[in-house]
């Protein structure tokens, strides 16, 4: 990192960290900003960027999105590991399990947390670190797909 980039980082680090805090929370914001900034410096496009501040904000947004994807994958792996050690509720039919397996990962997570863990959308949003609206959208789309798949068997 040269002096110009160091000065740019010092100039925008606080506002980028505030932005990242809103996206990933205070515990991970500085890491997301650092990762985004280093990614910018490594990019062959960096020298050609004219609006570096806007580019940094977009990079922080992208790093936060990747953080959430990684976090969701980790949480699902942990939940699957815990599920292997437990028994699926006896009232769940095998065709329902097969239909749930066809859903997208986020839809599956929301369906499992809603029906198997009996959580409401606000709790799921906090757990998965997504908005309540996203939870409701994934739940509605998941239910719709489940209806289609399960009714197709009739």
């Amino acid at each position: 990192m040269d002096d110009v980039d160091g000065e740019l980082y010092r100039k925008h680090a606080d506002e980028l960290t505030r932005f990242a805090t809103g996206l990933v929370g205070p515990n991970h914001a500085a890491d997301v900003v650092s990762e985004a900034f280093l990614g910018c410096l490594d990019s062959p496009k960096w020298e050609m960027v004219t609006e570096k501040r806007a580019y940094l904000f977009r990079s922080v947004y992208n790093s936060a999105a990747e953080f959430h994807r990684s976090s969701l994958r980790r949480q699902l792996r942990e939940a699957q590991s815990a599920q292997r050690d437990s028994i699926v509720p006896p009232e769940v039919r095998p065709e329902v399990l097969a239909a749930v397996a066809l859903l997208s990962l986020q839809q599956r997570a929301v369906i499992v947390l809603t029906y198997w863990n009996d959580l409401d959308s606000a709790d799921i949003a906090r757990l998965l670190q997504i908005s309540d609206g996203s939870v409701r959208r994934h739940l509605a789309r998941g239910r719709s797909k489940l209806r289609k798949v399960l009714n197709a068997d009739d």
Side-chain angles (χ1 to χ4, degrees), residues 52-71:
K52 293 197 187 284
R53 180 175 176 260
Y55 194 89
L56 286 168
F57 268 88
R58 186 62 188 180
S59 295
V60 167
Y61 173 84
N62 290 338
S63 291
E66 177 56 31
F67 171 83
H68 283 293
R69 285 189 295 272
S70 296
S71 179

Side-chain angles (χ1 to χ4, degrees), residues 112-154:
V112 167
L113 291 171
T114 298
Y115 293 104
W116 276 273
N117 293 54
D118 199 29
L119 297 177
D120 64 21
S121 62
D123 290 334
I124 295 169
R126 278 190 295 279
L127 180 66
L128 298 180
Q129 297 179 332
I130 59 177
S131 72
D132 194 42
S134 292
V135 170
R136 290 191 306 271
R137 184 180 69 248
H138 291 305
L139 186 58
R141 290 178 181 170
R143 285 175 175 159
S144 176
K145 286 182 183 178
L146 287 173
R147 271 192 294 278
K148 288 177 187 172
V149 170
L150 294 171
N151 289 333
D153 293 340
D154 291 341

Side-chain angles (χ1 to χ4, degrees), residues 1 7 16 40 51 72 94 97 107 115 120 125 127 129 134:
M1 175 174 7
E7 181 58 34
L16 291 170
C40 288
E51 295 291 330
L72 178 62
L97 290 175
Q107 290 169 353
Y115 293 104
D120 64 21
L127 180 66
Q129 297 179 332
S134 292

Side-chain angles (χ1 to χ4, degrees), residues 40-42 44-45 88-89 95 116 123 125 128:
C40 288
L41 294 180
D42 285 343
K45 299 177 189 177
V88 175
E95 63 270 19
W116 276 273
D123 290 334
L128 298 180

Side-chain angles (χ1 to χ4, degrees), residues 4-75:
V4 174
D5 292 330
E7 181 58 34
L8 185 66
Y9 181 80
R10 285 185 289 281
K11 182 177 179 182
H12 297 294
D14 287 343
E15 68 179 335
L16 291 170
T17 302
R18 281 192 299 277
F19 177 56
T21 299
L23 300 176
V24 298
N27 294 335
H28 304 288
D31 292 337
V32 165
V33 170
S34 296
E35 182 180 318
F37 196 81
L38 292 173
C40 288
L41 294 180
D42 285 343
S43 172
K45 299 177 189 177
W46 181 244
E47 293 303 320
M48 297 179 290
V49 173
T50 55
E51 295 291 330
K52 293 197 187 284
R53 180 175 176 260
Y55 194 89
L56 286 168
F57 268 88
R58 186 62 188 180
S59 295
V60 167
Y61 173 84
N62 290 338
S63 291
E66 177 56 31
F67 171 83
H68 283 293
R69 285 189 295 272
S70 296
S71 179
L72 178 62
R73 286 190 297 265
R74 186 188 73 253
Q75 289 171 355

